Amino acid sequence: MRVLVVEDDALLGDAIQAGLKQSGYAVDWMKDGVSAEQALTTEPYAAVVLDLGLPRLSGLEVLRRLRKRSDSTPVLILTAMDAVESRIKGLDAGGDDYLVKPFDMGELAARLRALLRRASGNPEPLLQAAGVELDPAAHRVLCRGEPVELSAKEFAVLHILMLNAGKVLSRAKLEEQLYAWGDEVESNAVEVYIHHLRRKLFPELIETIRGVGYLMPRDKAT
Ligand code: CA
């Protein structure tokens, strides 16, 4: 899943980007409000981690404009300690949750998972479909009760398909969520990941809808 991080502090931004990448997210990092707004109007993000104190355009303004466009992308606000006022403003401007600096990367990752869960309408922390169980927190997959080893990208593809179970996803949609700017995208990468997932899990897990994309059935016989 692809996440936008907006943070002007180089050390902190770098740490967040590295931490989220390690959790399997594709991460774009913007260091000012104007670049953040440009990214948000052109790229689809599953979630945004937004610092409020930013050069060129404040985080609060970025958030207000996002919501004004009726964009419901979940936003996790980062604020300075003791900045109760800015937390309130951030939430009222359309933020979904906040973290006070300094924070623990584990907590950031957990809050993001919670936001993604709510946004996708899957209240269960464990995703289940077609006899496959995926645990986003532990990064673990069980197929018919048996653990399955997946690469980070295979896991990411399966995660996106499961969050969207019952919906057809185009290859382009999957690619947009799998790669950040600057990542090298091989032209048939998605097909290869799908092929691996079918082989490692089971062949009929993911349906190919010709000319449209891929479908993970909402719930087949388990
Ligand atoms: Ca800042």
Side-chain angles (χ1 to χ4, degrees):
M1 240 156 305
R2 189 164 170 196
V3 172
L4 176 67
V5 173
V6 191
E7 172 56 72
D8 58 319
D9 183 297
L11 276 179
L12 183 57
D14 197 46
I16 296 173
Q17 186 180 40
L20 292 181
K21 271 189 179 169
Q22 205 167 27
S23 298
Y25 295 102
V27 184
D28 288 332
W29 174 21
M30 298 297 146
K31 300 173 180 86
D32 67 80
V34 172
S35 314
E37 170 150 274
Q38 277 164 2
L40 283 166
T41 49
T42 52
E43 302 296 318
Y45 292 102
V48 184
V49 177
L50 181 67
D51 179 32
L52 290 185
L54 294 170
R56 296 176 81 197
L57 187 66
S58 76
L60 213 51
E61 193 50 36
V62 171
L63 183 54
R64 285 199 187 109
R65 292 183 187 184
L66 180 80
R67 296 306 185 222
K68 213 168 178 187
R69 294 192 295 273
S70 300
D71 188 324
S72 60
T73 307
V75 175
L76 175 62
I77 296 163
L78 303 179
T79 67
M81 200 147 27
D82 300 329
V84 181
E85 195 73 5
S86 73
R87 257 145 44 209
I88 294 170
K89 276 187 186 155
L91 291 169
D92 281 339
D96 298 281
D97 195 5
Y98 68 87
L99 262 180
V100 178
K101 297 177 190 179
F103 51 82
D104 179 82
M105 269 308 299
E107 185 176 358
L108 173 74
R111 284 184 186 269
L112 263 186
R113 282 194 294 276
L115 287 186
L116 292 168
R117 232 176 12 241
R118 290 203 287 272
S120 70
N122 290 281
E124 267 269 359
L126 291 181
L127 295 172
Q128 292 181 332
V132 174
E133 184 181 293
L134 182 144
D135 182 344
H139 245 254
R140 205 179 43 213
V141 173
L142 297 179
C143 180
R144 294 163 176 159
E146 295 292 321
V148 182
E149 287 288 326
L150 298 179
S151 74
K153 278 280 192 281
E154 288 161 8
F155 185 93
V157 171
L158 184 64
H159 193 180
I160 296 166
L161 286 168
M162 289 185 80
L163 278 174
N164 293 284
K167 286 183 220 151
V168 183
L169 291 178
S170 68
R171 194 182 78 176
K173 263 253 141 54
L174 278 164
E175 275 175 357
E176 282 169 358
Q177 285 300 319
L178 285 175
Y179 298 101
W181 272 327
D183 283 355
E184 196 143 333
V185 187
E186 286 157 67
S187 63
N188 64 343
V190 167
E191 278 94 333
V192 174
Y193 298 136
I194 299 273
H195 174 76
H196 288 172
L197 286 171
R198 285 177 175 146
R199 188 168 49 79
K200 290 184 179 181
L201 296 152
F202 54 95
E204 41 318 349
L205 176 66
I206 302 159
E207 291 174 24
T208 300
I209 312 293
R210 291 231 172 272
V212 189
Y214 300 100
L215 170 71
M216 176 122 183
R218 188 156 266 288
D219 236 325
K220 256 187 182 168
T222 50

